[in-house]
Amino acid sequence: EVQLVESGGGLVKPGGSLRLSCAASGFTFSSYSMNWVRQAPGKGLEWVSSISSSSSYIYYADSVKGRFTISRDNAKNSLYLQMNSLRAEDTAVYYCARVTVGATYIDYWGQGTLVTVSS
Amino acid sequence: QSALTQPASVSGSPGQSITISCTGTSSDVGSYNLVSWYQQHPGKAPKLMIYEGSKRPSGVSNRFSGSKSGNTASLTISGLQAEDEADYYCCSYAGSSTFVFGGGTKLTVL
């Protein structure tokens, strides 16, 4: 069974930093591209970032480019999101999501971790 | 990276059919037959319902179907049931391993 478990969320002040982690199990993690998707309270889903299976290709939404860094450790079956210079508008539930082998859609989601940016 | 356009809400009675539209551009929905649809119940993670425009994952009811015409994709739910009440999001592949989501549609089963 595919499982994605996020951790690392919490309350942080504007301008602060936070590192999210996603522990993957139930599939060959090193074979799949992975994404982060976020959802602000009461709002819709927003694609944040993607990383290819070997970390060769990395992409970001314009809203986080230059502030967030996605990475992965295939030996540890883990995905990360380093978030710096956080703003109030970054407040959201952050989901770790697996992209299917063809890399054309997201097929599995974690349960999410809440990040709150507030003074 | 502009969000796809969905109606904010739709409603229907049990047994009826509803359709949710998802309008993008020639750079996303129009360029690829790679629209996926997700169902999200309150406080839960999204669940894949339709992928690559019209394909259903194993375990998803055949009451859910997808289609596309030009820059607009659609999700149709037939034989509405109470448990279908949820938020629905479309998502399009937008090239270079990026994705764009719709704003979401709240489905109310009357």
Side-chain angles (χ1 to χ4, degrees), chain A residues 35 37 39 43-47 50 59-62 95 99 103-107 109-111, chain B residues 1 34 36 38 40 43-48 51-52 89 93 96-103:
Chain A
N35 279 212
V37 178
Q39 185 171 34
K43 302 297 184 181
L45 300 168
E46 179 189 14
W47 174 80
S50 69
Y59 302 94
Y60 299 98
D62 289 343
Y95 292 101
V99 177
T104 57
Y105 62 94
I106 293 168
D107 57 357
W109 302 68
Q111 285 303 305
Chain B
Q1 294 177 343
L34 296 173
S36 50
Y38 301 90
Q40 187 180 37
K44 301 295 187 182
K47 175 188 174 185
L48 178 66
Y51 67 97
E52 294 179 353
Y89 294 90
Y93 180 74
S96 299
S97 299
T98 66
F99 296 90
V100 59
F101 286 91

Side-chain angles (χ1 to χ4, degrees), chain A residues 2 98 100 104-109, chain B residues 35-39 46-66 75-76 88-89:
Chain A
V2 172
R98 190 184 85 166
T100 189
T104 57
Y105 62 94
I106 293 168
D107 57 357
Y108 285 96
W109 302 68
Chain B
V35 173
S36 50
W37 289 89
Y38 301 90
Q39 177 191 66
K47 175 188 174 185
L48 178 66
M49 305 303 284
I50 295 287
Y51 67 97
E52 294 179 353
S54 59
K55 299 176 182 177
R56 271 189 316 275
S58 173
V60 172
S61 170
N62 59 8
R63 297 185 299 105
F64 291 82
S65 61
L75 172 71
T76 298
Y88 290 85
Y89 294 90

Side-chain angles (χ1 to χ4, degrees), chain A:
Chain A
E1 179 194 4
V2 172
Q3 284 199 321
L4 300 168
V5 180
E6 302 92 338
S7 60
L11 176 63
V12 61
K13 290 181 168 53
S17 299
L18 211 55
R19 189 195 195 205
L20 305 184
S21 299
C22 170
S25 61
F27 65 102
T28 304
F29 181 72
S30 60
S31 296
Y32 290 83
S33 294
M34 298 294 295
N35 279 212
W36 287 99
V37 178
R38 69 184 180 183
Q39 185 171 34
K43 302 297 184 181
L45 300 168
E46 179 189 14
W47 174 80
V48 172
S49 182
S50 69
I51 185 168
S52 62
S53 57
S54 61
S55 303
S56 298
Y57 300 98
I58 288 174
Y59 302 94
Y60 299 98
D62 289 343
S63 57
V64 306
K65 201 172 293 182
R67 300 186 299 121
F68 289 12
T69 302
I70 191 172
S71 62
R72 64 190 294 161
D73 185 335
N74 286 342
K76 295 183 177 180
N77 290 342
S78 293
L79 176 72
Y80 307 102
L81 186 67
Q82 176 67 43
M83 303 185 295
N84 298 330
S85 303
L86 282 162
R87 307 166 180 167
E89 53 265 36
D90 295 319
T91 294
V93 173
Y94 284 74
Y95 292 101
C96 167
R98 190 184 85 166
V99 177
T100 189
V101 171
T104 57
Y105 62 94
I106 293 168
D107 57 357
Y108 285 96
W109 302 68
Q111 285 303 305
T113 186
L114 177 62
V115 173
T116 303
V117 184
S118 175
S119 55

